[in-house]
Amino acid sequence: MLELVFTPDRGHVEPVYRQLGDYIRGLVAAERLPRGSKLPATRELATSLGLSRNTVSQAYEDLVADGVLTAHVGQGTFVAGSPRATAAAGARVSDAGGGSPAAAEDARHGFVWSGLFALRARTLTLPAGFGAERRTRPLRFDFRGGQVALDVLPVSDLRRAFADAAGAELARLADHQSPFGIGSLRREIARYLVSRGITCEAGDVLVVNGAQQAIDLTARVLLDPGDSVVIEQPGYFGARLAFTACQANLVPVAVDGDGLRTDELARVLRARRVKLIYTTPAAQSPTGAVMSEARRRLLLALADEHQSPILEDDYDSELRYEGPPVAALKTGDGAGQVIYVGTFSKVLFPGLRVGYVVAAPPLLEKMALARWNADVTTSVVTQAALARLLATGGLGRHLRRVRAAYAERLRAMLAALADAMPPATEWTRPRGGHSIWVTLPAEVDGPALLQAALDASIRFTPGEVFCGDGRGDRHLALSFANHTPAAIAEGVGRLGELVRAQLPSARRRRHQ
Amino acid sequence: MLELVFTPDRGHVEPVYRQLGDYIRGLVAAERLPRGSKLPATRELATSLGLSRNTVSQAYEDLVADGVLTAHVGQGTFVAGSPRATAAAGARVSDAGGGSPAAAEDARHGFVWSGLFALRARTLTLPAGFGAERRTRPLRFDFRGGQVALDVLPVSDLRRAFADAAGAELARLADHQSPFGIGSLRREIARYLVSRGITCEAGDVLVVNGAQQAIDLTARVLLDPGDSVVIEQPGYFGARLAFTACQANLVPVAVDGDGLRTDELARVLRARRVKLIYTTPAAQSPTGAVMSEARRRLLLALADEHQSPILEDDYDSELRYEGPPVAALKTGDGAGQVIYVGTFSKVLFPGLRVGYVVAAPPLLEKMALARWNADVTTSVVTQAALARLLATGGLGRHLRRVRAAYAERLRAMLAALADAMPPATEWTRPRGGHSIWVTLPAEVDGPALLQAALDASIRFTPGEVFCGDGRGDRHLALSFANHTPAAIAEGVGRLGELVRAQLPSARRRRHQ
C-alpha cells in the first residue's frame, strides 16, 4: 500500500492531528488510498511519522466520525469511501474551514495543482471565520472582530463623496497609476496625522489597501526567507499570516498590561539578528493594552542599538473613549526607523480598504515599487472619495459620533461581563478600540465553547486566532462594535451561561 | 565607546562579514559611532561577538575601501566620516547596489535602510514613466500605454453606480472581508464571461485589483525562487516585474505575427521544468498579434504534456474593431490548467483597479488565501458599483461606444504612420486593443528619439520597456486611445519628423 509521508507543521495554528487528518482525507479523495484499503495501525504510523500515538488516534477517530474511514474491531482501520463518500469527505474538509478540498477538486479537474504550489504557499491559511462563509449564516450575536457600527455609518456623506469622485473628478483621476496614491489624499492624510503627533508631508505618505497591505509590503521589502521578525504574543493574526507567507522566522514576545515586554525583547535582540519588530503600541491587538512611556523609550532605544526597524501598527488609535489620546511611537522616532501604519477601516468600515504608511524615504520608495508590482495602486475613486471626506470634515464628524457610540457599547459589555461571567473569568478593561480580551476559567474547553456558542447563534473570535501556539483556547475576543447595548447585554448574558455550563456545578455561580 | 552588539544571522544568504559591515555602517551613519572613534581590534571584536577573526577583518577591509573607516598602521581602525564623508560613504553603498538615492536619504534620516532590504527587493524597479512623475508634466501628445479614452467615459452611469454602492448598499457590504470578492460582482463577472466563451459560475471567480494583482498572486502561489517562468518576448512588463520580484527565473520565448512561438516553447519545455507559462493570446502585449488556432492547440497540448499551468492574460480582448471576436484560450482548457485573467481597467479606466481570475478550485482557493494575506479584498464600494454597472447594462453600452471611438482612432493612427514615417519603418496593424508596435529603421537611436520627442511634448512607451534585454531600443509602442483622430495625425506627423531627423539625409523621405 501507499506509504504515508506526512510531515507536521508544528508552528501552524491547525493542530497536528487535524493536519494529519486533512492529509489522509486528501489521499482518499484523490483515490490514492483506494476504497477498502487498510491503514497502518496507530502505533506503527506514529512511529514511522515521529508523532505521538494519541495524535494519530485522534486523526483516525475524526475520519471515522466523518465517514472517511471505518474501524473494525480486531481487524483495523479501512478507507470507507465509495466515490460518493469521497466527494462528501472532500466537502467536509472545506466546511471545517481549515484545509482545502484541493485533492478532491484535482481529481475532478484532471490537472493536479497540489504538487505545484510554492513552498511558501503550502502553509497559507486564514483564521476561522474569515473565508467566503463569513456572511453565509447570519448570527444573532456576532461578537467577532473586524466589524464596525453599521448603524452609525456616515452614509449620506459617503454617498456624496463617492458620487463626486466618480463624477466630476473622474477624468482627472482615471488614468492615475502612481503607486504612492493620489496627491489630494496624501495631503489630507498628512494633515490628519498631526492629530497623532506625527509631522509629515504628503510626500512621506504611501496610500495602501488597508493595514494588511502595509504589513505585507513591509514584509516583501525587508524579509528574506528565514529572517527573524518579532511579533506580539498574543498578537494580530494578519501580521503573523503575512510574515509566515514570506517564510520569515516568527519570534513571539509576550505582552502584558503595559504592552510588549521590552525585557523579553532585549533578550531576543541579544540572542539573534532581528529584521523587524512588529508592534501595536496604542492599543495592543488583542488585549488593548497601551504601551507605557517607559517601554516606549526602551523599545526605541533597543531598536536603535540593534538597528532593527519597528513596524508600528496604529490601527485603532483614533478610537479612545476616555483619558488623553495616546501618542504614536513614531513621534519619538528621531532616526526614522519606525514604519508607521494607519488605516481607515476601523473608523469607517473594513470593506473600504484604505490605509497608509509613513516611513523614511528610502523605505517608502521601495515599498512603492513593491506596491506597483503587487497591484499598482488603490482604487482611485475610493481614494478621491476619502480625500473629500477628510477635506470636508466628514471624517471628523463621524469620529465624534462613533466614539460616543462605542464608549456606550464598551461600558455595556464590561457591565454584561461582570454580570454574566463565573468567577475566575478575567477580561481587559480597554479605554478604546473595538473589543475585549477574555480569559476563561481553566476548566473551560475553548473549542467546545465555540461550538456551543455557534449553536446558540453567538459568535466570537477564538483566542487561538491571536496566539497560534495552542495556548489561545483559554481566551476569546469579544467585539462590542456592532451591537446595541441591549443586544450586548443579552448576548453576553447567554455566553456567560454557556461558560458556566462547562464548569463543575459548584463553580457555576456568577462573577462576584 | 559604544559596545558592538551585532548578532549574525547564519541562515541568511548574505555572508556574515557583509551583515557585520552593514551593521557598522548603520552605526556610523546614525553617528552612534562618532567620527574619529576607534574600533575594537579585529581579534577582540571577533572574540566578543563569537565570530572568526577573518570575518571581522573582511568587514573592516570593505568599510575601509568604502571610506567609512580608516586604518592607521600600528594604531588601529577608526571611523573616518565627517558628517559629509559619512553621507558619501552611504551614497557609495547605494551606487554599488544599483539604483536609488537610498543611502543619501539614509544619511539625512539617521537610520540606514539600504543594508536591510530583502534580496528580492533589491532589484525592484518600475518602467520609465510609471512613477509619481507620470502626471506632473502635461504633454501635448501623450501616446504612452495605460491610458483610455477619457472623453468617452460613462461618467453619469459611474456616478450613479458609485453613489448607490456607497449609499443604499453600504450597510450590507461594509464589513465584507471575503478574499473572493462580493457575491453580486462574482455573479455578474461569470455572466459577462459567457461573451468570451467561458462557462463558469460565480464560485469560480476571484475578484482582484486588476490584472497586475492576478499575476502577482499567481506568482506568490506557484513560484519559489529559481522556478522557471516562460514569458513572451517582447511582452508585458508588469508580468516580468512581478515574476522577477518573486525571484523566478524568466525564460523569454519569442513572438511573431501568430503570437507566442510554440516551436521555441517546445524546446524550452523539453530542456527544463517550467512552473508557469505566461501569455496574452487574444492580443499579444505589445504587438497585438492574435494567437493562431494551430498554436493554441499546440500550446495547450504542450502545457498538458509537461504539466505546466498557463496564465492567460486576456487584458484587452473586449476591444476588437473588426473580424470575429477571438475566443479565450480558456475555452479549450479541458484539464483546468489555464488560469484566466481579465480586467476592467482597459475597457473602463486603469484607476478602477478591478480584475478577476477564473481558475480550477484548488488554485483559486490558494490564491484567495494569498489575497487575504496581501490586502484582504478589493474595495467593496468599487466592487458593488461595478456589479451594478454590469447588471444594468451600463458596461455593454460603454463597450459599444468605446469600440467605435477606438476603431476610428486606430484607423487615424495607421494612416498617420503611413503618411509620416520614413521607409524601413514597420508597424503592426492590430484589429483591436489600444496601441501599435513600431519598429524603427536601424539607424535611429531609440533613447535619443525619446528625448527629442519629450522636448517636442510628445511621449510614447519605449520598446525597451517590453523587452528588458537591451534589444527594445528599435521599438516603440504608440497608444491611440486618448487622442482624437486630428491630434493623432498631428502628433504622429511630428514624431515622424523626429524619426526622419535621425536618418542620413538621403533616407529622410516619407514612407512610400
Side-chain angles (χ1 to χ4, degrees):
Chain A
M1 82 158 264
L2 183 75
E3 195 197 352
L4 301 180
V5 291
F6 168 78
T7 314
D9 180 351
R10 296 189 184 278
H12 200 277
V13 63
E14 195 81 16
V16 172
Y17 77 88
R18 273 212 224 124
Q19 296 179 37
L20 176 62
D22 285 347
Y23 168 76
I24 295 173
R25 222 184 279 270
L27 295 176
V28 171
E31 301 188 47
R32 302 197 52 227
L33 277 176
R35 178 185 183 186
S37 62
K38 186 175 179 182
L39 276 92
T42 52
R43 183 190 308 266
E44 184 191 318
L45 187 58
T47 308
S48 81
L49 298 179
L51 303 173
S52 81
R53 195 175 165 191
N54 200 33
T55 299
V56 178
S57 302
Q58 185 68 58
Y60 278 21
E61 276 166 27
D62 281 11
L63 293 169
V64 168
D66 287 351
V68 178
L69 304 180
T70 49
H72 297 283
V73 178
Q75 294 177 35
T77 310
F78 298 82
V79 176
S82 67
R84 181 182 301 269
T86 304
R92 220 164 276 136
V93 183
S94 162
D95 292 347
S100 82
E105 292 293 350
D106 277 351
R108 268 218 306 283
H109 281 80
F111 191 72
V112 179
W113 289 97
S114 37
L116 287 177
F117 295 130
L119 278 178
R120 59 180 165 176
R122 297 206 184 160
T123 57
L124 281 177
T125 182
L126 275 192
F130 278 80
E133 92 292 358
R134 185 175 173 90
R135 293 181 55 87
T136 52
R137 181 144 72 126
L139 293 160
R140 190 138 176 235
F141 304 103
D142 192 346
F143 297 127
R144 287 177 296 179
Q147 300 186 78
V148 292
L150 297 179
D151 51 350
V152 297
L153 276 177
V155 172
S156 72
D157 279 354
L158 284 167
R159 191 187 147 84
R160 198 171 317 116
F162 272 96
D164 287 348
E169 297 190 54
L170 188 59
R172 199 171 52 76
L173 298 168
D175 69 346
H176 184 92
Q177 292 181 60
S178 162
F180 286 99
I182 67 173
S184 59
L185 181 58
R186 297 174 81 196
R187 280 191 298 277
E188 289 299 331
I189 289 171
R191 197 172 300 162
Y192 177 72
L193 284 174
V194 174
S195 70
R196 302 285 304 119
I198 296 167
T199 315
C200 64
E201 293 171 10
D204 301 317
V205 176
L206 173 70
V207 178
V208 293
N209 296 340
Q212 186 64 28
Q213 188 172 43
I215 298 168
D216 181 62
L217 291 176
T218 305
R220 280 180 179 231
V221 159
L222 291 179
L223 303 181
D224 282 308
D227 278 350
S228 291
V229 181
V230 162
I231 56 167
E232 297 173 330
Q233 184 74 349
Y236 173 54
F237 51 85
R240 202 170 58 234
L241 291 175
F243 297 139
T244 303
C246 283
Q247 297 170 275
N249 172 33
L250 272 57
V251 186
V253 167
V255 298
D256 62 18
D258 287 328
L260 188 71
R261 295 240 333 239
T262 39
D263 55 340
E264 205 176 296
L265 176 66
R267 275 197 299 278
V268 166
L269 290 171
R270 274 197 299 273
R272 71 177 88 201
R273 173 93 185 98
V274 165
K275 266 308 256 314
L276 186 65
I277 302 166
Y278 172 83
T279 184
T280 51
Q284 201 274 330
S285 170
T287 65
V290 178
M291 191 181 283
S292 68
E293 268 310 311
R295 293 241 179 118
R296 282 163 188 256
R297 281 192 300 273
L298 267 166
L299 172 57
L300 287 169
L302 283 167
D304 182 38
E305 181 185 356
H306 295 273
Q307 293 286 296
S308 295
I310 298 170
L311 179 55
E312 175 182 20
D313 186 350
D314 200 34
Y315 69 106
D316 225 2
S317 62
E318 293 94 341
L319 298 174
R320 293 279 297 169
Y321 317 129
E322 50 174 300
V326 180
L329 189 69
K330 180 78 182 162
T331 59
D333 172 34
Q337 75 194 90
V338 175
I339 306 159
Y340 177 84
V341 172
T343 175
F344 293 104
S345 298
K346 301 290 172 181
V347 295
L348 282 163
F349 55 96
L352 183 66
R353 308 307 317 140
V354 184
Y356 45 90
V357 179
V358 175
L363 184 75
L364 205 72
E365 185 174 319
K366 274 284 184 212
M367 289 178 75
L369 293 174
R371 173 67 203 274
W372 198 96
N373 279 352
D375 66 343
V376 184
T377 192
T378 298
S379 163
V380 291
V381 177
T382 300
Q383 287 193 69
L386 190 53
R388 206 163 184 87
L389 200 69
L390 283 157
T392 57
L395 187 70
R397 284 193 299 276
H398 172 63
L399 260 172
R400 288 188 288 279
R401 256 199 316 267
V402 92
R403 279 191 194 115
Y406 285 173
E408 187 188 20
R409 289 165 191 203
L410 168 58
R411 283 194 300 272
M413 189 170 269
L414 288 170
L417 284 165
D419 193 46
M421 289 295 158
T425 312
E426 291 169 12
W427 55 87
T428 56
R429 281 157 190 84
R431 295 169 155 209
H434 289 82
S435 42
I436 294 176
W437 180 246
V438 178
T439 304
L440 300 165
E443 296 90 340
V444 175
D445 175 349
L449 179 67
L450 182 64
Q451 188 54 55
L454 208 50
D455 293 343
S457 206
I458 302 171
R459 188 102 184 229
F460 52 79
T461 306
E464 184 55 21
V465 165
F466 296 94
C467 294
D469 62 354
R471 285 184 291 177
D473 284 345
R474 280 196 60 203
H475 302 279
L476 50 93
L478 289 178
S479 166
F480 48 83
N482 194 26
H483 288 286
T484 61
I488 288 170
E490 187 182 347
V492 173
R494 292 191 186 189
L495 183 61
E497 283 165 28
L498 299 176
V499 173
R500 278 182 282 116
Q502 295 230 347
L503 298 179
S505 52
R507 299 201 42 218
R508 288 188 191 167
R509 69 186 185 279
R510 292 181 172 226
H511 202 270
Q512 58 276 57
Chain B
M1 82 156 264
L2 181 78
E3 195 198 351
L4 301 181
V5 293
F6 168 77
T7 314
D9 181 349
R10 296 188 184 276
H12 202 280
V13 62
E14 194 83 17
V16 172
Y17 78 89
R18 276 216 220 118
Q19 296 178 37
L20 177 62
D22 284 345
Y23 169 75
I24 295 173
R25 220 183 283 268
L27 295 175
V28 172
E31 301 186 50
R32 304 204 52 235
L33 276 176
R35 177 186 182 186
S37 62
K38 186 176 179 182
L39 275 94
T42 53
R43 184 191 308 267
E44 187 190 316
L45 187 59
T47 306
S48 82
L49 298 180
L51 302 174
S52 82
R53 197 176 164 192
N54 200 35
T55 299
V56 178
S57 303
Q58 183 69 57
Y60 278 19
E61 276 165 29
D62 280 10
L63 293 167
V64 169
D66 286 350
V68 178
L69 305 180
T70 50
H72 299 281
V73 178
Q75 295 176 33
T77 311
F78 299 82
V79 175
S82 67
R84 184 181 301 271
T86 304
R92 218 164 279 134
V93 183
S94 159
D95 292 350
S100 77
E105 293 288 353
D106 281 349
R108 272 215 306 283
H109 282 83
F111 190 72
V112 179
W113 289 99
S114 39
L116 289 175
F117 294 131
L119 278 179
R120 59 178 166 177
R122 297 200 184 169
T123 56
L124 281 176
T125 183
L126 274 191
F130 278 81
E133 92 291 1
R134 185 177 174 89
R135 292 182 55 88
T136 51
R137 180 145 73 127
L139 293 160
R140 185 130 184 244
F141 303 103
D142 193 347
F143 297 128
R144 287 178 295 178
Q147 300 186 77
V148 292
L150 298 178
D151 51 350
V152 297
L153 276 178
V155 172
S156 72
D157 279 353
L158 284 167
R159 191 186 147 85
R160 197 171 316 119
F162 272 95
D164 287 348
E169 297 189 53
L170 187 60
R172 200 171 51 76
L173 297 168
D175 70 345
H176 184 93
Q177 292 180 60
S178 162
F180 286 100
I182 67 172
S184 59
L185 182 57
R186 297 174 82 197
R187 279 192 298 277
E188 290 298 332
I189 289 171
R191 198 171 300 161
Y192 177 72
L193 283 175
V194 174
S195 71
R196 302 284 306 119
I198 296 167
T199 314
C200 64
E201 293 171 11
D204 301 317
V205 176
L206 174 70
V207 178
V208 292
N209 295 339
Q212 187 65 27
Q213 188 172 44
I215 296 169
D216 182 62
L217 291 175
T218 305
R220 281 180 179 230
V221 159
L222 291 180
L223 302 181
D224 282 309
D227 279 350
S228 291
V229 181
V230 162
I231 55 168
E232 296 173 329
Q233 185 73 348
Y236 173 55
F237 51 85
R240 201 170 57 234
L241 291 174
F243 297 139
T244 303
C246 283
Q247 299 171 273
N249 172 33
L250 272 56
V251 186
V253 167
V255 298
D256 61 19
D258 287 329
L260 188 70
R261 293 234 340 231
T262 39
D263 54 340
E264 206 177 296
L265 176 66
R267 275 196 300 277
V268 166
L269 290 170
R270 274 196 301 271
R272 68 177 91 202
R273 173 91 185 101
V274 166
K275 264 312 252 314
L276 186 64
I277 301 166
Y278 172 83
T279 184
T280 51
Q284 202 274 330
S285 171
T287 64
V290 178
M291 191 180 284
S292 68
E293 267 310 312
R295 292 238 179 123
R296 284 164 186 255
R297 281 193 300 272
L298 265 167
L299 171 58
L300 287 168
L302 282 167
D304 182 40
E305 181 188 353
H306 294 274
Q307 290 289 295
S308 296
I310 298 170
L311 178 54
E312 176 182 22
D313 186 350
D314 201 34
Y315 69 105
D316 225 2
S317 62
E318 292 93 341
L319 298 173
R320 292 280 296 171
Y321 317 130
E322 49 174 301
V326 179
L329 189 68
K330 180 76 180 162
T331 58
D333 172 33
Q337 75 194 89
V338 175
I339 307 159
Y340 178 84
V341 171
T343 176
F344 293 105
S345 298
K346 301 292 171 179
V347 295
L348 282 164
F349 55 96
L352 182 68
R353 310 305 319 140
V354 184
Y356 45 88
V357 179
V358 175
L363 182 76
L364 205 71
E365 187 170 320
K366 273 285 182 211
M367 289 178 76
L369 294 174
R371 173 67 204 273
W372 198 97
N373 279 353
D375 66 343
V376 184
T377 191
T378 298
S379 163
V380 291
V381 178
T382 301
Q383 286 193 67
L386 190 53
R388 207 162 182 86
L389 201 68
L390 282 156
T392 57
L395 187 70
R397 282 192 300 276
H398 172 62
L399 261 172
R400 286 187 290 277
R401 257 197 317 268
V402 92
R403 278 190 195 117
Y406 285 172
E408 189 187 18
R409 289 164 192 205
L410 168 58
R411 281 193 302 270
M413 188 169 269
L414 288 171
L417 285 165
D419 193 45
M421 290 295 159
T425 312
E426 291 169 11
W427 55 87
T428 55
R429 283 159 187 83
R431 296 169 154 207
H434 290 81
S435 42
I436 294 176
W437 180 245
V438 179
T439 305
L440 300 164
E443 296 90 341
V444 176
D445 175 349
L449 179 67
L450 183 64
Q451 189 54 54
L454 208 49
D455 294 342
S457 205
I458 302 171
R459 189 101 184 229
F460 51 80
T461 306
E464 185 54 21
V465 165
F466 297 93
C467 294
D469 62 354
R471 285 186 292 177
D473 284 344
R474 279 196 61 202
H475 302 279
L476 51 92
L478 290 179
S479 166
F480 48 81
N482 195 26
H483 289 286
T484 61
I488 288 170
E490 188 182 348
V492 172
R494 293 189 187 193
L495 182 62
E497 283 164 29
L498 300 175
V499 173
R500 276 181 285 117
Q502 295 230 347
L503 298 180
S505 53
R507 298 201 44 218
R508 287 189 192 167
R509 67 184 189 281
R510 296 186 168 220
H511 202 269
Q512 60 274 56

